[in-house]
Amino acid sequence: VRGEIITQGLTDRVLKYASDDIKYLPLIKKKQQYYIKNLNLQNAVTLDNAFVRVLAYIEYCGIKLDWDKWKSKALRDLEQVAICKKDLDMYLYNNGFTRFFLQYDLFSDIPECTLNWNSPKQIIPVFEELGINCTTVEKGEKKKSIDEKTLSDQIPKFEILQLYFKYKNVVKQSSTYGLNWESMINESTKRIHTVYRQIMNTGRLSSGEASRNAPNMQNLPNDEYTRSCFVSELNNSYSAIDYVGQESIVLANFSNDTSLLNFYKKGLTDMHSYVAFLLYPELQKELNKTAEELTNDDLKYIKKHHHDLRNIAKTAEFAIAYGGNGSTIAKNTGCSKKQGEAVYNQYFESFSGMKDYFSKMLNKTLANGYIEYNTITNRKFLLDPKNPIMQCKEIGAIPPELEKDYESAVAEIQRLSQNYPIQGSSADISKLAGVFFFKEILDKGWFDKVKIVNMVHDEYNIEAPDDLIEEATALIVNSMKKAGSIFCKIIPLDADA
């Protein structure tokens, strides 16, 4: 029917078609409101509806890119790709893989290599010939893979893996953050305007959409040069403001864990060294102190003299925060599975309050059929009705044929129920901070003058005229602290500009 509008105009048939498009919207809204009330999601809905305007403003403001500086970076990255490819070619040539090389020409030190380093199908046989195990198991099935996660524990043993993953990283850098960004600069505003998706399963945002030529502005390389390519307009200044240890402080407040609270109440500053101290009795013996007696000087000593133990502690922290276990720690650190399990067990011995909190979250999820992120917005992640947990819940038993699937589903939900409430609540805090700050922008008549140019999870980037930047920065810091205080009642959540 839509196709007839241009030729036939607003006929009765077209008008009926158009009215049917909106006829059911009030009924849908009514049904949604029933579930919103039933699941106590009013606050989550109110927050996200208010945050729509903040995200729209960020997309509208856009961000200015110093194209000349970015182009210089992109060309250097392409040079690095060529250098890394040559290193790989040389390795093959020097190790007898001459079948991949054409005859010499007069202008190069080695013949041209015919192996395509971007083709796993071509690379796997070469790696296996060199003794690299490319076999992995996914969902009970064996398959060949050369991704970094699969081969991580073999990287230190094989020089070619080190060269290969260096090559892959520079290829990704040059293709994702390269000369293609020129086409993303808006012709009218001379700025980059990305797009966001507001609610992922974790509660966080995501950014970017290839079909709209909009880049991911939340995943930029962390090096100083790349970041410095994003600038303010003439007579404006740029300010970056982020939460200080947002997810860790949210976890400390939610879990009420004694060891975590001790860290923050004492004003300690190096969490990784602190965790290492708790995990390794030899450090406690060497320093001859309890956790309550630790100082920042002690943590500096651990960082300087026990870097290896601190790194294992750091890896364990991240693994456990994202729902990992002893095997995850073993894989990420290169230690044995037994050592990984020992680190995992010692971690939860040291942070028993956190263990109790995670256990409580899992039990609540299994009982309710959803993960509840916090008691402020009551944001929830509802389990799929087809999930074995929900199927067994419905029949009130675990039939033998579902036992294996049920165990696997519980392990997955354990991971998510540890991770989603912390990430999702942190996202709620950041969204609320944006709502507070955007209200200040409107109240002060700063629309289009004080710009919010980017948001990266716990960080806001703003741009403002030189004479307003200090005031605007102070206001967003206050907005972020105010939002944090609503969720974090024991240890305050700070923001740093």
Side-chain angles (χ1 to χ4, degrees), residues 164-438:
Y164 174 70
F165 288 116
K166 184 179 178 184
Y167 167 77
K168 292 294 285 182
N169 286 335
V170 296
V171 165
K172 183 182 177 184
Q173 173 96 344
S174 67
S175 61
T176 309
Y177 309 104
L179 297 172
N180 56 323
W181 277 58
E182 185 174 22
S183 68
M184 298 176 192
I185 301 173
N186 185 283
E187 287 183 15
S188 301
T189 66
K190 309 301 179 192
R191 297 168 77 90
I192 288 172
H193 301 267
T194 191
V195 295
Y196 294 88
R197 276 173 298 284
Q198 190 166 328
I199 312 173
M200 309 301 286
N201 285 344
T202 57
R204 277 181 162 188
L205 316 177
S206 70
S207 164
E209 193 175 310
S211 64
R212 292 169 65 180
N213 206 23
N216 182 349
M217 290 301 298
Q218 297 187 306
N219 199 28
L220 290 164
N222 203 20
D223 65 281
E224 195 175 328
Y225 189 91
T226 301
R227 296 294 173 95
S228 72
C229 293
F230 296 93
V231 296
S232 58
E233 302 282 358
L234 187 67
N235 300 321
N236 279 6
S237 291
Y238 190 106
S239 188
I241 310 95
D242 65 342
Y243 278 111
V244 181
Q246 187 189 50
E247 288 190 3
S248 297
I249 287 180
V250 168
L251 178 58
N253 279 279
F254 284 17
S255 67
N256 207 11
D257 179 89
T258 306
S259 296
L260 272 180
L261 296 180
N262 175 62
F263 176 85
Y264 290 110
K265 285 177 178 175
K266 284 178 63 61
L268 300 177
T269 54
D270 182 353
M271 178 62 81
H272 306 319
S273 293
Y274 179 71
V275 173
F277 176 85
L278 295 175
L279 290 184
Y280 293 100
E282 59 264 41
L283 290 181
Q284 298 162 23
K285 193 174 179 183
E286 185 177 332
L287 289 168
N288 193 26
K289 285 188 175 182
T290 64
E292 287 72 26
E293 297 168 329
L294 272 184
T295 65
N296 279 318
D297 285 340
D298 297 323
L299 299 182
K300 284 176 188 171
Y301 174 86
I302 292 169
K303 185 176 182 178
K304 183 177 179 181
H305 297 286
H306 297 283
H307 195 63
D308 53 338
L309 299 184
R310 184 181 180 274
N311 271 347
I312 293 172
K314 181 180 177 180
T315 305
E317 279 178 74
F318 287 122
I320 290 165
Y322 288 95
N325 53 26
S327 299
T328 318
I329 295 168
K331 190 168 188 179
N332 293 351
T333 59
C335 68
S336 69
K337 192 172 179 183
K338 188 177 179 183
Q339 288 171 310
E341 289 294 343
V343 169
Y344 180 81
N345 293 332
Q346 184 57 44
Y347 185 92
F348 279 122
E349 239 180 76
S350 303
F351 297 97
S352 57
M354 198 189 302
K355 184 180 181 181
D356 292 342
Y357 167 71
F358 287 153
S359 178
K360 184 180 82 175
M361 293 306 295
L362 173 63
N363 291 333
K364 275 178 70 175
T365 303
L366 296 177
N368 297 333
Y370 56 75
I371 300 169
E372 185 168 71
Y373 294 17
N374 57 69
T375 56
I376 308 296
T377 62
N378 301 299
R379 189 180 299 280
K380 295 172 177 66
F381 173 75
L382 279 73
L383 304 194
D384 190 315
K386 293 177 185 173
N387 188 304
I389 291 169
M390 298 302 284
Q391 290 177 317
C392 297
K393 191 173 177 345
E394 195 173 320
I395 59 178
I398 306 171
E401 68 271 16
L402 275 181
E403 270 183 22
K404 196 173 178 183
D405 290 340
Y406 183 85
E407 285 175 19
S408 176
V410 169
E412 172 67 1
I413 292 304
Q414 180 170 17
R415 185 178 72 79
L416 299 184
S417 65
Q418 285 180 206
N419 176 232
Y420 282 10
I422 305 306
Q423 274 204 54
S425 299
S426 297
D428 279 347
I429 293 168
S430 296
K431 288 176 180 178
L432 186 57
V435 171
F436 288 154
F437 182 58
F438 188 57

Side-chain angles (χ1 to χ4, degrees), residues 32-45:
Q32 287 176 330
Q33 286 175 323
Y34 167 78
Y35 282 109
I36 288 164
K37 188 176 179 184
N38 200 37
L39 289 163
N40 196 20
L41 288 169
Q42 295 95 324
N43 287 348
V45 170

Side-chain angles (χ1 to χ4, degrees), residues 51-80:
F51 189 67
V52 167
R53 297 198 303 166
V54 181
L55 270 193
Y57 188 58
I58 298 173
E59 292 184 10
Y60 164 79
C61 290
I63 192 166
K64 187 171 174 61
L65 180 69
D66 183 336
W67 172 246
D68 290 336
K69 197 171 187 181
W70 184 273
K71 185 179 178 182
S72 172
K73 176 200 85 75
L75 293 172
R76 281 207 311 273
D77 289 344
L78 285 172
E79 287 172 10
Q80 279 298 309

